[in-house]
């Protein structure tokens, strides 16, 4: 079989219907392509609705909310394709896109590829990235302290690692899990995704291992629409779809997963550097927020509720230090 396409479902029935309907007859009717839906305990009528509408799909029930890595691993374990595509449910596939992508990957020396992700209005969005030593780029999202670090980085003209608009074929160190196609032999050698991750950063850590076997690239001239769904917002009560708000449940999961990835990829020293920066950022953020609002004649306590949420999340982050430092097996699920 040429290709196995794996989609993780968590109450995303409508998104998956739209995704599969956008795939076109070639993918739907092609016997060399298999579709695997892995359900993270949606507890709704997803399986019934989807298997009736698309009888060709294979449907797996995890029985609990296993997160991104474990659910995709369940799909990979039964996948028969020589290539495996991890695909988000909130994507819309343009005609011929996947066929063109798999053909180019098969004919190349790359072990994995992604495509140019775009918003519904055609604006490019993040699709892949280069690694930054120690994951220092994660510090840029810290309230106030991150802005100061960005200003310092701009003085030294530091290149941004993220790829927003990719060239026709652009090499990267890791690819967004919204669309990540990997050759099966590379998975067999590098291993499955790390099942200690619940959500976020798992594809980054996985790519760090896959990358030891060969190169990865983005095909910038191949585009798919990534809608960035609302299921995570609903589950966490997050205010937005961004990955920069570190004050709510989603922000806590981002922080924990990113620190876990840094610990696994770069070691305990870089993990501690990150953790101490996040801790210092609490003091810095409260002080700068107070002074800047006061200087502009505004209520100096305006942001304090949000900053208290950030401080609470950093304290929770510290509570995971023991299993992270000692490498004790743990499932880092925060919600």
């Amino acid at each position: 079989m040429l290709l196995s396409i794996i989609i993780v479902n968590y109450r995303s029935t409508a998104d998956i219907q739209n995704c599969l309907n956008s795939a076109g007859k070639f993918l739907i009717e092609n016997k060399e392509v298999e579709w695997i839906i892995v359900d993270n305990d949606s507890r709704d009528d997803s399986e019934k609705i989807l298997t009736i509408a698309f009888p060709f799909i294979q449907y797996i029930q995890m029985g609990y909310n296993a997160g991104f890595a474990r659910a995709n691993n369940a799909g990979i374990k039964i996948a028969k394709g020589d290539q495996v595509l991890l695909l988000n449910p909130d994507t819309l596939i343009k005609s011929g896109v996947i066929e063109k992508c798999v053909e180019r990957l098969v004919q190349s020396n790359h072990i994995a590829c992604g495509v140019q992700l775009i918003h519904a209005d055609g604006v490019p969005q993040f699709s892949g990235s280069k690694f930054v030593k120690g994951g220092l780029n994660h510090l840029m999202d810290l309230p106030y302290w991150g802005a100061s670090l960005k200003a310092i980085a701009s003085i030294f003209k530091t290149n941004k690692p993220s790829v927003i608009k990719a060239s026709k074929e652009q090499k990267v160190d890791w690819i967004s899990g919204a669309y990540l196609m990997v050759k099966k032999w590379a998975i067999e050698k590098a291993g499955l995704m790390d099942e200690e991750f619940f959500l976020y950063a798992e594809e980054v850590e996985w790519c760090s291992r896959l990358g030891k076997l060969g190169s990865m690239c983005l095909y910038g001239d191949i585009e798919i629409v990534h809608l960035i769904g609302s299921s995570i917002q609903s589950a966490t009560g997050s205010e937005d779809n961004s990955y920069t708000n570190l004050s709510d449940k989603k922000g806590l999961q981002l922080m924990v997963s990113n620190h876990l990835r840094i610990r696994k990829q770069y070691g305990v020293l870089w993990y501690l550097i990150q953790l101490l920066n996040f801790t210092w950022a609490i003091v810095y953020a409260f002080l700068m927020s107070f002074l800047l609002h006061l200087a502009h004649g505004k209520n100096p306590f305006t942001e304090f509720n949000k900053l208290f949420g950030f401080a609470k999340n950093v304290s929770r982050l510290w509570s995971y230090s023991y299993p992270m430092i000692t490498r004790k097996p743990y499932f880092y699920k925060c919600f």
Side-chain angles (χ1 to χ4, degrees):
M1 186 167 287
L2 177 66
L3 178 66
S4 299
I5 303 174
I6 301 171
I7 300 176
V8 177
N9 176 38
Y10 182 72
R11 302 175 184 175
S12 303
T13 305
D15 284 335
I16 295 174
Q17 286 178 307
N18 292 333
C19 177
L20 268 65
N21 283 327
S22 72
K25 288 186 178 181
F26 176 83
L27 285 175
I28 299 301
E29 297 176 355
N30 193 331
K31 293 183 179 180
E32 288 190 280
V33 178
E34 64 175 353
W35 294 80
I36 302 169
I37 310 296
V38 186
D39 194 301
N40 265 335
D41 197 28
S42 294
R43 299 188 183 184
D44 57 18
D45 295 327
S46 294
E47 181 172 7
K48 180 179 178 181
I49 293 170
L50 292 173
T51 52
I52 290 175
F54 309 102
F56 55 86
I57 65 174
Q58 300 179 63
Y59 207 96
I60 301 173
Q61 288 282 1
M62 291 298 291
Y64 70 110
N65 191 355
F68 190 74
R70 294 184 180 196
N72 274 301
N73 283 349
I76 292 170
K77 288 174 183 177
I78 67 165
K80 299 181 179 67
D82 291 329
Q83 282 66 230
V84 173
L85 171 61
L86 308 188
L87 184 66
N88 265 26
D90 55 351
T91 53
L92 299 175
I93 306 162
K94 295 184 178 182
S95 177
V97 161
I98 294 182
E99 302 94 292
K100 184 178 180 181
C101 181
V102 70
E103 180 181 5
R104 284 172 67 173
L105 179 62
V106 169
Q107 293 175 356
S108 76
N109 292 323
H110 301 302
I111 62 163
C113 72
V115 296
Q116 179 64 61
L117 303 176
I118 61 173
H119 295 283
D121 59 3
V123 175
Q125 64 178 252
F126 169 81
S127 303
S129 184
K130 292 284 189 178
F131 287 133
V132 175
K133 186 67 175 178
L136 291 176
N137 52 307
H138 292 302
L139 300 180
M140 303 302 146
D141 293 330
L142 289 171
Y144 289 97
W145 181 231
S148 297
L149 292 175
K150 284 180 184 178
I152 295 171
S154 66
I155 294 173
F156 294 97
K157 297 180 180 180
T158 305
N159 293 326
K160 293 182 179 181
S162 300
V163 177
I164 304 299
K165 184 65 181 80
S167 59
K168 183 177 180 180
E169 185 173 314
Q170 183 167 347
K171 287 187 177 181
V172 291
D173 293 327
W174 65 273
I175 298 164
S176 168
Y179 185 107
L180 173 54
M181 187 180 292
V182 189
K183 292 177 177 177
K184 187 69 174 294
W185 68 262
I187 298 175
E188 292 169 350
K189 286 194 173 185
L192 297 170
M193 302 185 90
D194 191 319
E195 295 193 351
E196 290 193 0
F197 290 89
F198 172 64
L199 189 64
Y200 306 127
E202 60 279 281
E203 78 268 42
V204 189
E205 191 281 331
W206 197 37
C207 285
S208 73
R209 288 183 280 125
L210 288 167
K212 295 175 182 179
L213 302 173
S215 60
M216 289 177 256
C217 76
L218 296 175
Y219 294 129
D221 57 335
I222 302 177
E223 298 179 342
I224 69 163
V225 175
H226 182 210
L227 299 174
I228 310 181
S230 60
S231 59
I232 297 301
Q233 279 182 273
S234 176
T236 62
S238 181
E239 297 177 355
D240 53 50
N241 276 325
S242 73
Y243 295 93
T244 57
N245 182 3
L246 301 178
S247 302
D248 56 14
K249 290 181 182 179
K250 178 182 174 183
L252 174 62
Q253 188 66 64
L254 279 164
M255 289 164 55
V256 170
S257 296
N258 286 331
H259 277 74
L260 177 61
R261 192 272 295 190
I262 290 163
R263 171 66 181 96
K264 287 177 177 289
Q265 188 175 350
Y266 295 112
V268 69
L269 178 60
W270 282 108
Y271 164 77
L272 290 172
I273 290 172
Q274 288 276 340
L275 186 58
L276 291 174
N277 267 275
F278 272 67
T279 306
W280 157 247
I282 297 173
V283 179
Y284 190 80
F286 273 105
L287 179 62
M288 292 303 294
S289 177
F290 182 89
L291 293 176
L292 288 174
H293 280 85
L294 191 64
H296 288 88
K298 298 179 181 179
N299 182 353
F301 303 103
T302 299
E303 287 187 310
F304 272 35
N305 280 340
K306 187 173 183 179
L307 293 178
F308 276 123
F310 170 67
K312 181 180 178 181
N313 280 349
V314 174
S315 68
R316 288 283 307 279
L317 179 62
W318 271 95
S319 71
Y320 293 102
S321 293
Y322 177 72
M324 283 200 192
I325 292 174
T326 61
R327 297 293 296 270
K328 181 181 178 180
Y330 197 87
F331 185 33
Y332 292 88
K333 180 180 178 180
C334 301
F335 61 85

